[in-house]
Amino acid sequence: MTELAALEEPKVRAVNEKHGDDHGVNLGKLRAVAKRLKTQQELAVGLWATDDTAAKLLALLICRPKAFGRDELDAMLRQSRTPKVHDWLVNYVVKKSKHAEELRLAWTDDPDPVVASAGWALTGERVLKKPEGLDLGGLLDVIEAEMKDAPERLQWAMNMVLGHIGIEHPEYRARALAIGERLEVLKDYPTSPGCVSPYVPVWIDEMVRRQEAAAAE
């Protein structure tokens, strides 16, 4: 904790706080600390218990994802508080857990939109890597009915699922594009040069173009 405190930078904190993350540790430096510590589950649990955001991020880098039980992961998600901790927990830990599918189903139906967004993030992973058994048409029904008015983080996760369905599943592409065009979610999202807009019609078209170009080579 002393080492993490020494890495605190006011300018980094100011930038992070604009995105809802209350820490000022450069993530490259944080990863360097994690690389030195290597995997240490007991230390990770202790760091998580401090409720300090930088410590939680470090904990997620040095933990053993498969060591956590289903209820532990559920509690950790609800304790995440900040967007970066939430994202790292889902992507670095929950996705590697044997409880991922059970939690995906439970979280997607949770009344807390932040918890529900984790369920949708896991659904996006399944659309990409293991779509068998998913009702893609049913997912599009829910997205069409609920995404426009969903809270920000839930809306973002649902939009990712919409895009993945349109990119990876040609039979649903026209409908995904139509939903994106009608709802106009993230249409005006600021996008850095060289990056693809998360606005689904633009995103799908560009990624499909790249896939087709790669296949033609």
Side-chain angles (χ1 to χ4, degrees):
M1 294 302 294
T2 302
E3 184 174 355
L4 288 176
L7 293 174
E8 176 82 17
E9 299 177 39
K11 290 183 179 179
V12 175
R13 177 175 283 273
V15 172
N16 287 337
E17 285 182 342
K18 291 180 181 179
H19 301 96
D21 292 310
D22 56 352
H23 77 93
V25 180
N26 176 281
L27 295 181
K29 294 179 179 179
L30 190 74
R31 291 182 186 279
V33 174
K35 186 176 181 180
R36 189 189 77 234
L37 292 172
K38 297 184 173 62
T39 302
Q40 295 192 47
Q41 179 67 10
E42 186 175 348
L43 176 58
V45 171
L47 287 168
W48 184 271
T50 66
D51 203 33
D52 174 85
T53 294
K56 283 186 168 183
L57 291 172
L58 181 58
L60 295 172
L61 292 174
I62 66 171
C63 72
R64 284 197 304 276
K66 294 180 181 178
F68 294 108
R70 182 250 188 237
D71 291 345
E72 285 180 287
L73 292 171
D74 182 71
M76 289 169 72
L77 185 80
R78 297 172 193 280
Q79 295 161 0
S80 293
R81 291 192 300 105
T82 67
K84 185 65 69 176
V85 173
H86 175 101
D87 290 344
W88 282 21
L89 174 64
V90 173
N91 288 298
Y92 297 169
V93 180
V94 179
K95 285 182 180 179
K96 299 176 182 178
S97 167
K98 66 180 180 181
H99 306 292
E101 180 61 13
E102 183 182 354
L103 289 169
R104 181 185 76 84
L105 295 170
W107 288 343
T108 300
D109 293 329
D110 198 278
D112 183 335
V114 175
V115 175
S117 74
W120 279 90
L122 294 173
T123 298
E125 181 81 353
R126 272 207 60 187
V127 170
L128 280 172
K129 297 183 177 179
K130 193 179 178 182
E132 299 80 10
L134 285 179
D135 178 4
L136 298 179
L139 289 173
L140 291 178
D141 290 343
V142 175
I143 290 168
E144 189 168 22
E146 300 179 11
M147 182 172 72
K148 181 73 172 180
D149 298 318
E152 183 179 1
R153 285 164 73 179
L154 177 56
Q155 184 185 72
W156 181 273
M158 295 175 84
N159 189 72
M160 292 298 102
V161 173
L162 178 61
H164 290 324
I165 291 174
I167 294 164
E168 302 297 332
H169 300 276
E171 67 274 27
Y172 291 100
R173 187 169 297 151
R175 187 179 175 203
L177 286 167
I179 291 171
E181 289 168 357
R182 186 172 69 79
L183 299 185
E184 297 188 333
V185 168
L186 301 176
K187 185 175 183 178
D188 299 319
Y189 190 83
T191 305
S192 302
C195 296
V196 180
S197 170
Y199 175 49
V200 159
V202 173
W203 179 25
I204 291 176
D205 284 346
E206 175 59 19
M207 298 312 293
V208 171
R209 183 193 67 77
R210 293 183 187 184
Q211 288 176 354
E212 291 173 348
E217 290 180 357

